[in-house]
Amino acid sequence: MKLSLLTILLGAGMSVPQIYGLARPKDFAAAVRKFPRNYTIGIVLMLLFAGYIAAWALLHPYKTPPRESASTLGQKVYAARHLIPAVLLIAAVIGSIYSGVATPTEAAAIGVAGALALAAIGGSLSWASFAASVMGAMRTSCMIAFILAGAAFLTVAMGFTGVPRIMAEWIGAQGFSAAHLIVVLTVLYIILGCFIDGISLVVLTSSAILPSVKAANIDLLWFGIFMVLVVEMAQVTPPVGFNLFVLQGLTGKNMFEVARAALPFFFLMVAAVALIWFFPELVTFLPGRMFNLR
């Protein structure tokens, strides 16, 4: 279960603005204005994942930590005294991005400075710990960079063969109904996601797919959320799922064990696609009421 949770926590890498910034640059501004729709699907996924974890814990009580004695609110706050500053730092970094105060790169610098300040205040900052942190970050960054380089090489090879474009054009020529089109596209992106990273998947197929999506009268912002889901599915599908490689490097587990741990969450994301198809209000109603969209 720990491995499953780590695999999912590494996901959520793409958003609706990114999808449309890559696929349809002229739609990017509209996507940013309606970005809050992303929050709702995040809540849906959170409830699905939390429900599965709760059910798993009830069915496997012998694999869960022992129940602790009840504690008061004051005791809980005291126990979390070292966690609260880290949460505030995360909120500051994310808040600076969404408020427009800082760019993502500047926010990263804020995060580094804040982490160093917290370490200094906590008395854990020393040259040895600083060097160990830098080396740890360098090893992880180099590992991810090599994974991305390998994925880029495979993407170029796939693009050179023309397979993604041909498959997308074939689907577009079939004249599927909206429901059939979504089912076929889900299968297509799952298959291609086994061999191509998420951003390249969007770039290689969007120009051939979007005309069919428009012809089927599918809401483009809804389709953007659908793309986020299927691209995140691609991150946990072997043999080249990005999250799987990262978890393999971090945990030392073999690829099959990591993929098996992520499989239940993959099916939950498939269930999320079905939910937002049958109940599109899940990703449109709340933002529409909050921000007067559409």
Side-chain angles (χ1 to χ4, degrees):
M1 177 56 69
K2 293 180 180 178
L3 194 57
S4 302
L5 291 174
L6 283 172
T7 307
I8 293 303
L9 289 173
L10 281 173
M14 295 197 75
S15 65
V16 173
Q18 284 176 293
I19 291 288
Y20 281 94
L22 291 166
R24 302 281 290 185
K26 67 180 182 180
D27 294 332
F28 182 73
V32 171
R33 286 198 305 272
K34 299 180 181 180
F35 179 70
R37 292 173 182 232
N38 241 14
Y39 300 158
T40 321
I41 190 58
I43 294 172
V44 171
L45 286 174
M46 178 188 69
L47 293 175
L48 287 173
F49 295 161
Y52 167 74
I53 294 168
W56 183 91
L58 291 173
L59 293 173
H60 304 85
Y62 54 91
K63 293 184 178 180
T64 59
R67 185 183 297 274
E68 298 180 356
S69 58
S71 56
T72 64
L73 178 61
Q75 291 174 323
K76 293 177 180 178
V77 173
Y78 180 78
R81 65 190 184 282
H82 298 302
L83 179 63
I84 293 174
V87 173
L88 293 177
L89 177 60
I90 294 172
V93 171
I94 297 177
S96 65
I97 296 174
Y98 283 103
S99 64
V101 174
T103 66
T105 303
E106 293 167 345
I110 293 173
V112 171
L116 289 174
L118 290 178
I121 293 172
S124 60
L125 182 62
S126 64
W127 281 113
S129 62
F130 179 76
S133 299
V134 171
M135 289 303 298
M138 184 178 297
R139 281 194 294 268
T140 303
S141 299
C142 290
M143 177 188 69
I144 294 174
F146 276 111
I147 293 172
L148 291 174
F153 178 80
L154 184 57
T155 296
V156 170
M158 290 289 289
F160 181 76
T161 63
V163 171
R165 177 182 54 80
I166 292 171
M167 294 178 69
E169 289 176 351
W170 178 83
I171 291 174
Q174 301 308 304
F176 291 120
S177 65
H180 290 160
L181 180 62
I182 292 301
V183 171
V184 173
L185 286 179
T186 301
V187 174
L188 171 69
Y189 282 121
I190 289 174
I191 294 173
L192 292 179
C194 293
F195 308 100
I196 305 175
D197 69 279
I199 293 178
S200 301
L201 193 61
V202 176
V203 173
L204 290 172
T205 62
S206 59
S207 60
I209 290 298
L210 282 179
S212 299
V213 172
K214 289 184 176 181
N217 293 318
I218 296 174
D219 186 324
L220 289 182
L221 265 298
W222 181 96
F223 184 72
I225 294 172
F226 163 79
M227 288 283 286
V228 169
L229 281 173
V230 294
V231 165
E232 291 306 327
M233 290 180 202
Q235 305 299 311
V236 295
T237 51
V240 293
F242 177 76
N243 289 6
L244 304 183
F245 274 111
V246 174
L247 259 296
Q248 184 184 29
L250 292 176
T251 64
K253 305 289 186 180
N254 65 68
M255 177 63 71
F256 294 104
E257 186 175 352
V258 176
R260 185 171 63 251
L263 189 61
F265 294 94
F266 170 83
F267 286 120
L268 287 174
M269 285 188 278
V270 174
V273 171
L275 278 175
I276 66 171
W277 172 255
F278 289 109
F279 305 101
E281 294 82 5
L282 287 173
V283 293
T284 59
F285 175 74
L286 180 61
R289 294 295 297 269
M290 291 176 62
F291 299 94
N292 194 29
L293 299 178
R294 289 184 182 272

